[in-house]
Amino acid sequence: MQNISTKQALRRALADKRSGRIVFVPTMGALHEGHASLLRQARELAGAEGCVVASIFLNPVQFDNAGDLASYPSTPEADLKLCETCGVDIAFTPDPASMYEGDRSISLEETNLSTALCGATRPGHFAGVCLVVNKLFNLVQPTDAIFGKKDYQQLAILRRMVRDLDIPITLHGAEIVREADGLARSSRNVRLTPEHRAAAPAIRQNLLAAKQAYETGTNADDVRRDLTAALEAIPGVRVDYAELVDAETLHELRTPASPALLAVAAWFGDVRLIDNIELQRA
């Protein structure tokens, strides 16, 4: 595996790989089994003749909270070892100074899907995501890219970006990887106190109960209300949102028959966790 930290070296390394499939997995580091799943899927998709590229870049532009950026876990040596173990060919590990000019003045903003869910309480977050992913797409020029469905809104927004800007990349959504007790894997989980870690799996349990209620006929307003109440009863939690939305628009359900998404965000102390579940009423 090559570990490359500059744009110029990345372009040189990829120059002779353009004839085959290039599968890209962008990450912010602090890699865990969820990331490993994405990397293994990328290796399978690329095949023996293709190339797998993973970026490890903690993007400062997408953080609306300086404290969250400062406390984000960093495990660079373990990250590179995991990438190599999972069959990555090129690890791209730039620093902020090499990714962004000091006087940068271009932004990239999605104005529909990003107004709900996480976008409603994290101003500028998805503009930062779109900017860095667009830059990485331009640098890597992959044929395919893989993103986890835990960040469902992010994936929807990036699909819209690829569509609206005619970027010739196929995006793949990978299923959420969970701990044995159901908690969605996240780099932030290591920051949970023992008490909060013990309570956090109730997020998934309540999502499953809400899914069953909706799919057996409970109306959307009641599902949303009951889910919020159940989450607020978890010890130590502060609910950011608990929403039942159209899975395509991320806004209010158009009809009960539409593909739907239950999405939640909750704080345990200064750690913000997100989770979701897709559902369909028969």
Side-chain angles (χ1 to χ4, degrees), residues 89-107:
D89 297 297
I90 297 174
F92 181 47
T93 57
D95 59 24
S98 65
M99 283 293 288
Y100 295 111
E101 300 293 338
D103 62 348
R104 68 178 183 86
S105 55
I106 299 296
S107 62

Side-chain angles (χ1 to χ4, degrees), residues 94-170:
D95 59 24
S98 65
M99 283 293 288
Y100 295 111
E101 300 293 338
D103 62 348
R104 68 178 183 86
S105 55
I106 299 296
S107 62
L108 187 60
E109 186 174 7
E110 195 282 332
T111 60
N112 187 349
L113 301 174
S114 60
T115 61
L117 304 179
C118 289
T121 56
R122 302 189 68 188
H125 170 68
F126 287 116
V129 170
C130 287
L131 180 63
V132 74
V133 172
N134 192 63
K135 286 171 68 69
L136 290 167
F137 282 174
N138 286 335
L139 289 166
V140 177
Q141 297 180 28
T143 56
D144 304 81
I146 301 179
F147 295 85
K149 286 187 177 181
K150 182 172 74 71
D151 295 296
Y152 195 99
Q153 185 174 21
Q154 172 180 275
L155 176 59
I157 290 168
L158 294 176
R159 288 191 191 280
R160 182 67 59 89
M161 181 182 78
V162 164
R163 186 199 74 180
D164 287 0
L165 299 184
D166 297 309
I167 303 174
I169 297 171
T170 300

Side-chain angles (χ1 to χ4, degrees), residues 9 16 28 38 87 103 144 150 172-173 188 214 220 241 263:
D16 63 350
M28 294 205 300
L38 301 181
D103 62 348
D144 304 81
K150 182 172 74 71
H172 304 265
R188 291 181 169 87
Y214 178 75
Y241 65 77

Side-chain angles (χ1 to χ4, degrees), residues 52-89:
V52 174
V53 181
S55 62
I56 302 171
F57 177 61
L58 185 58
N59 176 37
V61 178
Q62 72 188 66
F63 281 81
D64 57 301
N65 183 319
D68 193 21
L69 174 61
S71 62
Y72 198 89
S74 176
T75 56
E77 292 183 6
D79 292 348
L80 290 173
K81 183 176 180 179
L82 181 65
C83 285
E84 189 165 19
T85 299
C86 292
V88 171
D89 297 297

Side-chain angles (χ1 to χ4, degrees), residues 243-261:
E243 296 290 347
L244 174 56
V245 297
D246 186 292
E248 295 180 1
T249 69
L250 304 185
H251 291 281
E252 185 178 355
L253 279 171
R254 294 169 294 185
T255 70
S258 298
L261 179 76

Side-chain angles (χ1 to χ4, degrees), residues 5-80:
S5 60
T6 69
K7 300 174 184 178
Q8 296 80 7
L10 178 65
R11 290 190 174 108
R12 287 195 297 270
L14 288 169
D16 63 350
K17 302 183 185 299
R18 298 293 175 198
S19 60
R21 201 166 196 173
I22 298 175
V23 184
F24 179 44
V25 180
T27 83
M28 294 205 300
L31 304 186
H32 50 70
E33 181 55 32
H35 296 103
S37 175
L38 301 181
L39 296 171
R40 288 191 290 265
Q41 289 180 57
R43 182 72 270 165
E44 183 176 356
L45 189 61
E49 303 302 318
C51 177
V52 174
V53 181
S55 62
I56 302 171
F57 177 61
L58 185 58
N59 176 37
V61 178
Q62 72 188 66
F63 281 81
D64 57 301
N65 183 319
D68 193 21
L69 174 61
S71 62
Y72 198 89
S74 176
T75 56
E77 292 183 6
D79 292 348
L80 290 173

